[in-house]
Amino acid sequence: RSHPDVHRFSVETVQWYPHDTGMFTSSSFDKTLKIWDTNTLQPADIFHFEGTVYSHHMSPVATKHCLIAVGTKSPKVQLCDLKSGSCSHILQGHRQEILAVSWSPRHEYILATASADSRVKLWDVRRASGCLSTLDQHNGEKSKAASEAASTAHNGRVNGLCYTNDGLHLLTIGTDDRMRLWNSSTGENTLVNYGKVCNESRKGLKFTVSWGCNPEFAFVPYGSTIAVYTIFTGELITMLRGHYSTVNCCILQPNFQELYSGSKDCNILAWIPGLREPVPDDISEKSPPQQHLNPAYEDAWSSSDDEG
């Protein structure tokens, strides 16, 4: 906090440069995006915006561009170019503030944006016209007579976006207490029902998905807990309890299959998969089937002094 270049208000997003750890980025309600040099802990560049910065993202796969997508209080999506240091590229089409942005992990020029206007848009940033499609929760059935402007992804503010790791699907979360799974190439709502996904966040909600699991999971902040869903069936597997206040974000470390969550209780918790003893073949048929279901993630934190 004593650092002279520290953000003045709430920091909303922090991300490593995807290709090495020599640089990381942070954005804040103080209307700035800062590019930090890891070695000196000094800002190498600072981008200033007219409004609060809710979210930013660098493509994990881009080799031909160094664009950072930024969602702010403005309805315009801003693209900051690390090579030139300019923020001249703008994507127009949303009507209200941009709460979440995410580059496709499959196509380096494809960007998804979520807004308070209830819409999720997909963009090809090379195209002058910009928007490829606006996701429609009704798959066109209710809005055939209306214009494209009628297409909404949620019946409320859309404040969370997350691609599956193969980039073939996109998960969105809205303040209508719904999570939806979309086919990212066709824009179709897959109609997976996750039930009520409680979401009272006034800003962007950071949630994540598993890597290399079968089935694949989504980890979603849910009040002071984290809900674990199977992505393609919508089943609620478990609720991770350990925080004392609202959970704001969670992220997965795929090498160790560890989940980290941050909360308003000022704690960061690490969750590790519960390891199970292998079941001998001769008794596996007698054992209850739930032992073979998806591995629930457990809280490895202990309050006991003896256990350190």
Side-chain angles (χ1 to χ4, degrees), residues 106-107 110 120 122 133-136 139 162-164 166-172 180-192 194 231-232:
R106 194 177 188 87
H107 305 289
I110 303 299
V120 173
L122 300 179
S133 62
T134 301
L135 300 184
D136 178 14
N139 287 332
C162 189
Y163 274 98
T164 54
D166 57 12
L168 296 177
H169 292 86
L170 177 69
L171 279 164
T172 64
R180 295 202 164 92
L181 180 71
W182 309 83
N183 180 314
S184 59
S185 57
T186 65
E188 182 183 8
N189 179 1
T190 63
L191 304 176
V192 174
Y194 300 95
I231 291 178
F232 295 104

Side-chain angles (χ1 to χ4, degrees), residues 32-66:
T32 65
L33 164 69
K34 298 189 178 185
I35 317 300
W36 298 85
D37 182 324
T38 310
N39 299 312
T40 64
L41 286 184
Q42 302 296 322
D45 207 347
I46 301 177
F47 294 93
H48 295 271
F49 302 93
E50 292 179 6
T52 298
V53 183
Y54 288 105
S55 174
H56 78 267
H57 192 227
M58 282 179 284
S59 169
V61 295
T63 57
K64 298 183 179 68
H65 71 76
C66 287

